[in-house]
Amino acid sequence: MPIQKKFHKISWTRRMIIALIIATVMPAVIISSIIFNVAAKNLEKKAYELTDYKITQRVRFLELDLRQVFDLIYQTVVDPAVAGAMDSLNRGKEPVESKTTLRSKFISYGQMLEAVQSMTYIDNRGENYYTYEKFNSVYDNNMWSDKERRLGLCSQTKKSESAVFLPTIQEELAGGRQIDLFYIAIPVQDYVADSNVGVLVMGIGMEFFQNLDTGDEEDSQWNDMVEVIDPQGRIIYSQEKNRIGKISEGTDKSDKNQLIKENQIEKSNWTLRSYVNLKEIKQNLYGFRQITILIGIIFIVPFVAVVWALSKYFTRNLSMLSMNLKKIGEGQVGMQLDATIEDEFYPVIQQFNQMSKSIERLIKRLKRERAQTEEAVTRQKQAELRALESQINPHFLYNTLDSINWRAIENEEYEISEMISCLADLLRYSITDIDGMVQVREEKQWLNKYLFLQQKRFSDKFTFIIRIPKAAEDILIHKMLLQPIIENCVVHGINEMKKDGKITVEASMEEGSRLRFVIKDNGKGIEEKTLARLNRKDNRGDIGTDNVRARLESYYGGEAFIRYYSSETSGTVVTVEIPYGEEVYAKNSDCGG
């Protein structure tokens, strides 16, 4: 509603400009947004297709490279010289000669693939082993020097009976250098004796993944980041070198600025994962949209200026009429308008000229009539003033409190000002139609001010909360029905406390069109004898509680009740329940309520 009222106050010129923007600019914006979204979706679709193609190609390359590694391992295992050296090493015969043979063969086979950095043979007991490392020919200490590690690998290969892929490990080289290697372990079988001979372990460097780093210059804008991950989430290889060997943090499928694709690599338990940053890909598209918006603005500004000038010309009669109507509102009458264009508003201007003359004649006549009645009005006012002098009018009190309030504001005593303002509102509310019915909303406002004054009176030793459901705010109740109960909470319950007092007033709507109020305090409780007396219907002796009970009986008969609950250590709870509805309101209206 407020937006509609503001729109009604806009001039015709501005309305035409707004209409132009809605009719031309908005469709252009919507169309450009649709085009941009379609282009973005096509771009994203292309990214998906290209990413699928690239990850499929990379998986194919990796599978071919793995096949070469397994072929090399097979050639090594079936070599008679290697088999004989392994057998001799297992039986502990001529270990030096056996290791020399293994070294020679390992060097020979290791040269066949550049990525192969080490070859190790471990017997099935984990006791005897030999390691050849390209990068460490004179350095005896290596990862297989640890017997526990050798035994663990033997046990692992026996269980799997197939190739075991070990995660990437950073090897320490002589001179403090480091190299990243992953290992493939193959169980060596004696098929004649049908027994496990040992384990052949091949250490492979990161050169193995060099095919993952290649990309075409034409699709450089689609460059992605790839990683190879094992089933435990450990990163075997990553284009970001500092991530190798760490645990992958997983993937966020809901991230719309990142495209993630995964493919399983055959002959291994690895997964190839590709990350594409869609945000970078869309940057060019965003730039195109900004240029389009800029061109649109450059076009719209002069167009709007032309429309504004034309609308000003064609609405001159309307503007002149509007301006002179304001003058009439300010008291200027008798003016005559001269229309420059005979358009749709020309008849209205003629009617305006006639109206202006008629108003001028009426004002002159009213002045004469006012002069004739001025004396009678003066005599009447004098009589009223004499009547006011004979009694103390409540307005005198209100005006006095208002003057004190302003004096407090002038002295920057804002708390006193607020208290005086609340007091004036309380007095005005309490002396007007005391037995009348008001909405719960109004009673809540009055109780807030009453409790605020009591709070200041007792030096803020207590706080208060009033909770009224939204649905109950329009229900009608009798004025100041709860005030005596709340006053008792303050005077008898909270008064003896030094601090941390609390008063709560809550309302709830119950079945059968009944409204329940619960008033609680955490002050001094009520003695058992007094509590029993308060809960008797024939209770007499306490003016406040008697007043509430009598009013409930008068207004609602036996349909309303009040109940007290208390202990001397936990404060007091008072429950008041009354009926509401059209029948109740009609009954109270008939009784003069």
Side-chain angles (χ1 to χ4, degrees), residues 139-183:
Y139 190 48
D140 254 354
N141 189 18
N142 57 67
M143 69 175 290
W144 304 113
S145 302
D146 184 357
K147 184 177 180 180
E148 293 296 326
R149 180 175 288 178
R150 298 198 302 270
L151 289 172
L153 180 61
C154 289
S155 174
Q156 191 176 357
T157 53
K158 284 178 183 178
K159 290 179 181 178
S160 68
E161 297 183 353
S162 61
V164 174
F165 289 79
L166 303 181
T168 301
I169 298 175
Q170 196 170 70
E171 291 275 11
E172 295 288 339
L173 309 183
R177 295 178 298 121
Q178 295 175 335
I179 184 172
D180 291 322
L181 298 177
F182 71 90
Y183 293 89

Side-chain angles (χ1 to χ4, degrees), residues 464-502:
F464 64 89
I465 300 173
I466 301 178
R467 298 190 184 99
I468 305 294
K470 192 75 175 176
E473 288 186 346
D474 293 329
I475 295 175
L476 296 178
I477 64 171
H478 286 273
K479 292 176 67 173
M480 301 174 65
L481 187 64
L482 306 177
Q483 185 271 336
I485 301 172
I486 295 174
E487 183 177 3
N488 283 340
C489 289
V490 176
V491 175
H492 300 295
I494 302 295
N495 187 26
E496 295 185 13
M497 298 181 67
K498 293 183 179 180
K499 60 178 181 178
D500 297 331
K502 185 175 181 181

